[in-house]
């Protein structure tokens, strides 16, 4: 099939390359000409495992082309919308870029076109997209259809998530669209078991509800971790006890510094905004966000209390800057938030991350006491304390030999991955989350 993907951000690039990898001829469009230039040269604009290979291979066999021309992109009759919808100050998603693309599709479409919304859009928005397409189309003979097809890709494993979906949600109003959706996804889901067809609104809410539920699960276990610390329980033991119940499960029950990233905080705020719009009185999602903020405050307090409130001569090391492992994304990163709070109080912060150094240097540019290190050992050299914020695999294997050049051997483990130091070495002081 000949398919267009509009937007080559995180979701768009993964979607376009995975679709071309599974045999479709893809045209990927972005209005950012610099991005298109890089992609044409086979230079990936995001850090995501497996993506570089897909880009090189599919460019070479000409199953993907990159363009900034809507005229060219609208020659295909299937168009995926992968435009970001960042949160506004009031929590509502900003759909201006999305509607700009909708307007240009309406102006450039040359045949009947199915527009598939992958972007996370406010409740009711797919209906609006359909009516805007029809209201703004220049050729009145053209028929537009819309399918709400939210993405469930996790950064760091997006390619494998695309190829092995838990579910393919299709919100639609016309029966005929089902056939096209089955055809598009046939190479990855030929037995049709993962498809769920529903209304536009159900598809939109499924996306928000999934992310908000997962975030709430994290906040719940984090609240239990504070209780664990106070009553002498271990959150790890509590987690293993809880997760033996299949109704609860073990996923997304890792206590720690809380959730970050571009999706969870934004989507919860959007859902809170939607509840307000429908005059629904509820505090559940607000509490999810509050608990997430409390985790960071408690962690910071733990560090400050340990040094008896005076960190002015301290030289601390922060390991992990991305919002989670296997990505260079620092949006809403808890680590960056912690650095912003600690930097004014300490003498020096040595920081290290396996992938996010360049992004962090830009974001932390205003702080003059941050030393960007090349290795774990360089970050720990001469340090008065190790603060672990992101659970990269590289950090899980830290052992006593990495700590030899620390001035004071103390570990504040925001992700509970260095628990071996609790018992391994009595010269190391270890503080975890809820342990
Ligand atoms: C999330 C969802 O998992 C995807 O299904 C969804 O498609 C995506 O948002 C999106 O809306 O685009 P992502 O933001 O990449 O994906 O990251 P997750 O793996 O879900 O992790 C989110 C945050 O929760 C991270 O900061 C992570 O450290 C934290 N987390 C996760 C915990 O604190 N504890 C856990 O047990 C699990």
């Amino acid at each position: 099939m000949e398919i267009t993907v509009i937007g080559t951000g995180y979701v768009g690039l993964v979607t376009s390359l995975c679709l071309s990898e599974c045999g479709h001829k893809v045209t990927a469009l972005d209005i950012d000409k610099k991005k298109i230039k890089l992609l044409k040269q086979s230079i990936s604009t995001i850090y995501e495992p497996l993506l570089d290979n897909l880009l090189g291979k599919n460019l070479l066999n000409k199953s993907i082309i990159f363009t900034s021309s809507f005229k060219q992109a609208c020659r295909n009759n299937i168009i995926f919308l992968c435009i970001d919808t960042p949160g506004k100050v009031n929590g509502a998603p900003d759909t201006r870029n999305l509607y700009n693309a909708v307007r240009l599709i309406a102006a450039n479409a040359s045949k009947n076109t199915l527009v598939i919304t992958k972007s996370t859009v406010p409740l009711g928005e797919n209906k609006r997209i359909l009516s805007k397409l029809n209201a703004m189309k220049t050729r009145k003979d053209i028929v537009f259809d819309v399918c709400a097809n939210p993405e469930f890709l996790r950064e760091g494993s997006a390619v494998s998530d695309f190829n092995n979906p838990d579910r393919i949600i299709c919100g639609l109003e016309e029966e005929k669209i089902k056939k096209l959706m089955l055809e598009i996804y046939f190479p990855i889901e030929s037995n049709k078991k993962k498809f769920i067809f529903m209304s536009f609104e159900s598809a939109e809410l499924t996306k928000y509800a999934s992310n908000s539920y997962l975030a709430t699960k994290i906040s719940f276990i984090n609240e239990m971790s504070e209780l664990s610390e106070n009553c002498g329980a271990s959150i790890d033991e509590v987690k293993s006890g809880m997760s033996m119940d299949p109704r609860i499960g073990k996923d997304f029950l890792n206590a720690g510094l809380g959730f970050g990233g571009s999706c969870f905080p934004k989507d919860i705020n959007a859902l809170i905004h939607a509840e307000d719009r429908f005059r629904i009185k509820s505090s559940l999602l607000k509490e999810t966000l509050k608990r997430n903020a409390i985790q960071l405050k408690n962690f910071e307090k733990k560090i400050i209390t340990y040094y008896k409130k005076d960190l002015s001569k301290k030289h601390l090391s922060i390991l992990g800057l991305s919002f989670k492992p296997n990505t260079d994304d620092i949006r809403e990163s808890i680590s960056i938030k912690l650095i912003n709070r600690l930097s004014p109080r300490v003498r020096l912060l040595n920081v290290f991350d396996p992938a996010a150094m360049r992004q962090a240097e830009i974001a932390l540019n205003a702080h003059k006491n941050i030393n960007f290190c090349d290795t774990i050992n360089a970050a720990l050299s001469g340090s008065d304390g190790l603060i672990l914020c992101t659970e990269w695999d590289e950090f899980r294997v830290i052992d006593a030999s990495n700590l030899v050049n620390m001035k004071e051997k103390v570990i504040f483990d925001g992700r509970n991955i260095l628990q071996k130091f609790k018992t391994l070495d009595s010269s190391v002081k270890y503080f975890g989350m809820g342990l």
Side-chain angles (χ1 to χ4, degrees), residues 10-11 120 151-156 167 207 211 214 218 221-222 251-264 267 323-325 334 391 415:
Y10 184 75
V11 174
T120 304
E151 57 87 13
F152 298 99
L153 308 175
R154 290 163 300 169
E155 293 192 23
R167 72 285 212 199
K207 166 71 191 194
N211 274 359
L214 290 170
I218 296 169
I221 200 72
N222 280 339
D251 294 332
F252 276 69
L253 272 188
N254 294 323
L257 284 174
F259 56 83
S262 65
C263 305
F264 283 6
D267 289 355
F323 83 94
K324 69 170 194 178
I334 308 288
E391 66 279 33
R415 300 290 174 183

Side-chain angles (χ1 to χ4, degrees), residues 315-339:
H315 163 173
L316 301 178
S317 313
I318 308 263
L319 296 186
L321 303 169
S322 55
F323 83 94
K324 69 170 194 178
N326 301 321
T327 176
D328 63 351
D329 195 342
I330 57 164
R331 285 176 292 176
E332 294 286 323
S333 157
I334 308 288
S335 174
I336 300 291
K337 288 183 186 173
L338 181 67
I339 292 170

Side-chain angles (χ1 to χ4, degrees), residues 27-158:
T27 302
L29 175 144
D30 205 294
I31 52 167
D32 184 338
K33 294 202 167 102
K34 273 193 225 142
K35 247 188 210 179
I36 290 299
K37 197 173 163 200
L38 289 170
L39 291 167
K40 278 181 173 171
Q41 295 164 15
S42 194
I43 300 170
S44 178
T45 42
I46 56 169
Y47 173 95
E48 179 64 33
L50 308 179
L51 215 57
D52 283 351
N53 277 350
L54 291 187
L55 180 58
K57 186 175 157 204
N58 286 286
L59 269 176
L60 203 65
N61 65 22
K62 298 194 169 46
S63 46
I64 190 161
I65 54 166
F66 293 98
T67 183
S68 286
S69 156
F70 268 86
K71 196 161 189 247
Q72 185 181 9
C74 290
R75 282 185 200 138
N76 294 335
N77 67 339
I78 296 170
I79 300 182
F80 276 86
L81 270 180
C82 299
I83 309 268
D84 62 333
T85 50
K88 293 195 279 195
V89 181
N90 67 358
D94 187 341
T95 54
R96 277 174 300 180
N97 293 340
L98 184 85
Y99 278 105
N100 202 25
V102 167
R103 184 176 56 78
L104 287 163
I105 294 170
N108 287 283
S110 55
K111 48 180 110 158
N112 294 347
T113 302
L114 170 62
V115 174
I116 304 169
T117 315
K118 272 237 167 279
S119 306
T120 304
V121 295
L123 307 179
E125 215 62 22
N126 277 285
K127 215 166 240 165
R128 200 160 157 243
I129 290 171
L130 182 57
S131 69
K132 288 269 178 201
L133 283 166
N134 282 320
M136 294 191 287
K137 64 187 176 190
T138 38
R139 276 189 45 188
K140 298 300 166 203
D141 57 320
I142 285 179
V143 176
F144 280 111
D145 287 302
V146 167
C147 178
N149 177 221
E151 57 87 13
F152 298 99
L153 308 175
R154 290 163 300 169
E155 293 192 23
S157 55

